[in-house]
Amino acid sequence: MVSALPFDTLAAARDALRLRKISAVELTRAVLDRIDALDGTIRAYIDVGGERSVFAERALTVAAEVDAGTRTGLLAGLPIAIKDNLCTTFGRTTCSSKMLENFHSPYDATAVQKLEAAGAVIVGKTNLDEFAMGSSTENSAFGTSRNPWDTDCVPGGSSGGSAAALAAGLCLGSIGSDTGGSIRQPASLCSLVGLKPTYGRISRYGLVAFASSLDQIGPFGWTVADAALLLQAMAGYDRRDSTSAPVDVPDYLAELDVPLKGLRIGIAREYDHAEGVDPQVKSAVDEAVKVYRSLGATTVDVSLPHTKYGIAAYYVIAPCEASSNLARYDGVHYGHRTKEPVTNIFDLYSKSRAEGFGPEVQRRIMIGTYALSKGYGERLYHNALCVRAKIKQDFDEAFQSCDVIACPTSPEPAFKVGQKSGDPLAMYLADVFTVTCNIAAIAGISVPCGFTTDAKPLPIGFQLLGPAFSEPKLLRAARMYEAATEWHKRRPGSV
Ligand code: GLN
């Protein structure tokens, strides 16, 4: 039996490191031991043919520098895992795709650079759905990660490896990316806090592009404070990302514990009556809203009338952008090249791409290419952009009368591995509460709010959505709930 981590939040570990109750090397070793013992089951970290993307030696060297005082900063000595679609000069950057199986990036993503500059110990790179397309990690070319609360279930996706790594105690904080829910949904399925910051808040430089107008990097933590700490280290303008926002970074931790007075929580009629929401999820989220009321918040009815077109718009816009972004992987410029005999360059491209991309990525490329093709572009892509403007308008109007909007994160708790993998549409529909946040380029956070009554209880999360750059308020609102409840203290028994 491997021992539990001496601390299970970044905040606690940070205090202990500062007081020298533990060294960074000891903490890193404890994490590495747990990875050795448990990751064969959890499969949170990328594993390409037995070579796991865990950087033990490098992590211990960084930790030793922290202990020696030559590496300092906000995250000094804290063991962090990052999703394998963030470019790193160390290890591979695979995006869980055969296409990039052997890709070694010549540069580090800005977010990674910032984490390391803040003293973080990056222990490894985590599994995802191939190119971040999916909600379960089942689309990974390197195996499915497991949910530490019930290893028969998925951890969610696409940042499922980052969520599973944290929930299983194989790191103390982790980083994901969210294009349509890929941080918030796995956070919800693994009882973690997951934040999708405002578009432009964290530089996307070095984040392998899926849908560039929707992609955003963000943190996972056991607590709101841990998520805020990671955000603090990564946020800020970067001239290397033209969509990064020249907006000052506030101190997210300064007033985190100060409850918001007069918080107005919007309840969207359309979300309240959404079909297909598991009754246990519905009642847990309703209970969470009651907790807010008991803390003095008021609820306001709001309407998001175009929300019903959210999934349709997302599953046009995201594949359109993906089909264009993924054109570079042709076996010549980038990526896997076929070893089959080829007759001409097009044959080389198509054989390489057919071998390198998995079925879901191929499906998205085909949908996107179709939706952008002459004659269809007007009807599909341009319509989707109109819907996008309407969805944004809905939120702008709703936020006139409320500070945040509360709703479920995922309509259901974690599902069994294999349960939905044959039904892409069912998988897409489960993104109903998360995609509009990316479409409108606003901020969203998922917060643990209960468990199912299953023999192995599964986590439930609720989501708060806030206007662009409202992270300080969003985090405080989330913290207010967390401080009044105990859900964030539970840990999975199986690991
Ligand atoms: N599940 C969504 C999709 O498959 C969201 C993915 C994401 O946020 N990266 O596209």
Side-chain angles (χ1 to χ4, degrees):
M1 198 44 199
V2 62
S3 47
L5 288 182
F7 312 98
D8 63 2
T9 63
L10 291 173
R14 202 167 161 238
D15 288 346
L17 285 163
R18 279 184 177 162
L19 296 170
R20 302 212 164 248
K21 286 189 183 154
I22 190 169
S23 71
V25 166
E26 283 165 342
L27 183 58
T28 304
R29 280 229 169 85
V31 167
L32 294 170
D33 285 349
R34 285 184 63 84
I35 294 174
D36 276 345
L38 298 171
D39 203 42
T41 311
I42 302 294
R43 305 181 65 99
Y45 289 92
I46 289 279
D47 184 340
V48 179
E51 252 183 69
R52 192 179 278 140
S53 289
V54 171
F55 316 119
E57 208 174 302
R58 188 176 185 279
L60 288 165
T61 306
V62 172
E65 287 169 15
V66 171
D67 288 336
T70 52
R71 198 184 271 260
T72 53
L74 197 61
L75 305 177
L78 299 175
I80 307 293
I82 57 178
K83 187 175 180 176
D84 201 27
N85 61 351
L86 284 157
C87 285
T88 50
T89 47
F90 46 95
R92 317 162 194 254
T93 299
T94 69
C95 291
S96 287
S97 180
K98 282 203 167 56
M99 189 54 99
L100 292 177
E101 187 167 339
N102 293 310
F103 177 61
H104 291 260
S105 168
Y107 66 98
D108 286 314
T110 298
V112 173
Q113 265 178 22
K114 286 194 158 210
L115 290 168
E116 295 216 292
V121 175
I122 294 179
V123 283
K125 300 187 78 179
T126 56
N127 194 25
L128 62 148
D129 289 290
E130 186 176 0
F131 284 102
M133 298 175 191
S135 310
S136 66
T137 74
E138 290 167 295
N139 297 336
S140 167
F142 308 120
T144 303
S145 302
R146 301 290 170 143
N147 190 316
W149 296 91
D150 179 349
T151 52
D152 289 337
C153 292
V154 301
S158 64
S159 316
S162 289
L166 179 54
L170 310 181
C171 61
L172 274 181
S174 58
I175 308 301
S177 68
D178 189 313
T179 304
S182 279
I183 293 173
R184 291 160 289 153
Q185 184 257 18
S188 166
L189 271 44
C190 291
S191 199
L192 303 169
V193 174
L195 173 72
K196 189 213 78 90
T198 306
Y199 185 74
R201 180 69 293 184
I202 295 176
S203 166
R204 291 184 298 110
Y205 179 76
L207 169 68
V208 177
F210 160 14
S212 314
S213 77
L214 304 164
D215 298 340
Q216 182 60 202
I217 296 167
F220 290 94
W222 277 115
T223 62
V224 177
D226 282 6
L229 186 70
L230 293 172
L231 172 67
Q232 194 75 51
M234 293 188 291
Y237 174 71
D238 177 12
R239 62 176 183 79
R240 288 174 299 185
D241 169 7
S242 61
T243 62
S244 108
V247 174
D248 287 344
V249 180
D251 184 341
Y252 296 109
L253 293 157
E255 298 195 316
L256 194 60
D257 283 321
V258 187
L260 289 156
K261 287 212 178 68
L263 177 68
R264 297 162 307 162
I265 299 185
I267 305 292
R269 195 168 311 145
E270 295 79 6
Y271 286 163
D272 219 23
H273 297 119
E275 279 171 36
V277 179
D278 182 290
Q280 294 195 67
V281 170
K282 170 113 180 76
S283 73
V285 176
D286 289 347
E287 280 305 311
V289 173
K290 278 193 203 146
V291 170
Y292 274 111
R293 283 209 198 92
S294 75
L295 296 170
T298 50
T299 51
V300 188
D301 286 327
V302 296
S303 175
L304 300 169
H306 297 91
T307 226
K308 55 175 178 285
Y309 305 118
I311 291 282
Y314 174 84
Y315 279 98
V316 172
I317 296 169
C320 283
E321 294 186 16
S323 71
S324 150
N325 276 326
L326 271 56
R328 73 190 71 163
Y329 306 104
D330 55 16
V332 177
H333 296 91
Y334 271 106
H336 168 83
R337 180 182 297 186
T338 186
K339 295 198 172 54
E340 295 292 311
V342 294
T343 47
N344 58 42
I345 187 84
F346 295 107
D347 197 27
L348 172 68
Y349 289 165
S350 63
K351 284 204 173 102
S352 300
R353 285 165 70 83
E355 289 171 11
F357 290 136
E360 182 59 28
V361 173
Q362 293 192 15
R363 182 178 298 121
R364 306 265 181 131
I365 292 173
M366 285 191 278
I367 294 172
T369 307
Y370 179 84
L372 287 173
S373 58
K374 198 163 164 20
Y376 294 99
E378 286 303 310
R379 273 205 356 241
L380 295 167
Y381 184 61
H382 290 280
N383 267 352
L385 292 185
C386 291
V387 171
R388 182 172 199 170
K390 293 281 183 199
I391 287 175
K392 195 164 172 347
Q393 227 170 42
D394 285 354
F395 277 115
D396 287 346
E397 275 164 34
F399 289 132
Q400 300 282 316
S401 61
C402 66
D403 301 298
V404 294
I405 293 171
C407 62
T409 305
S410 163
E412 309 168 306
F415 44 92
K416 295 255 189 296
V417 173
Q419 192 181 323
K420 284 192 187 184
S421 46
D423 187 352
L425 197 58
M427 201 78 100
Y428 298 171
L429 290 173
D431 297 335
V432 57
F433 296 115
T434 50
V435 292
T436 52
C437 173
N438 305 70
I439 289 175
I442 59 173
I445 190 167
S446 182
V447 182
C449 70
F451 286 82
T452 63
T453 53
D454 294 276
K456 285 187 186 160
L458 290 168
I460 300 172
F462 75 100
Q463 181 179 221
L464 293 178
L465 299 169
F469 300 102
S470 67
E471 284 85 357
K473 200 184 242 181
L474 202 61
L475 289 161
R476 271 173 77 185
R479 172 63 192 145
M480 224 171 119
Y481 171 83
E482 183 186 72
T485 53
E486 300 283 318
W487 307 115
H488 62 287
K489 295 186 180 153
R490 287 223 212 167
R491 299 292 179 266
S494 63
V495 291

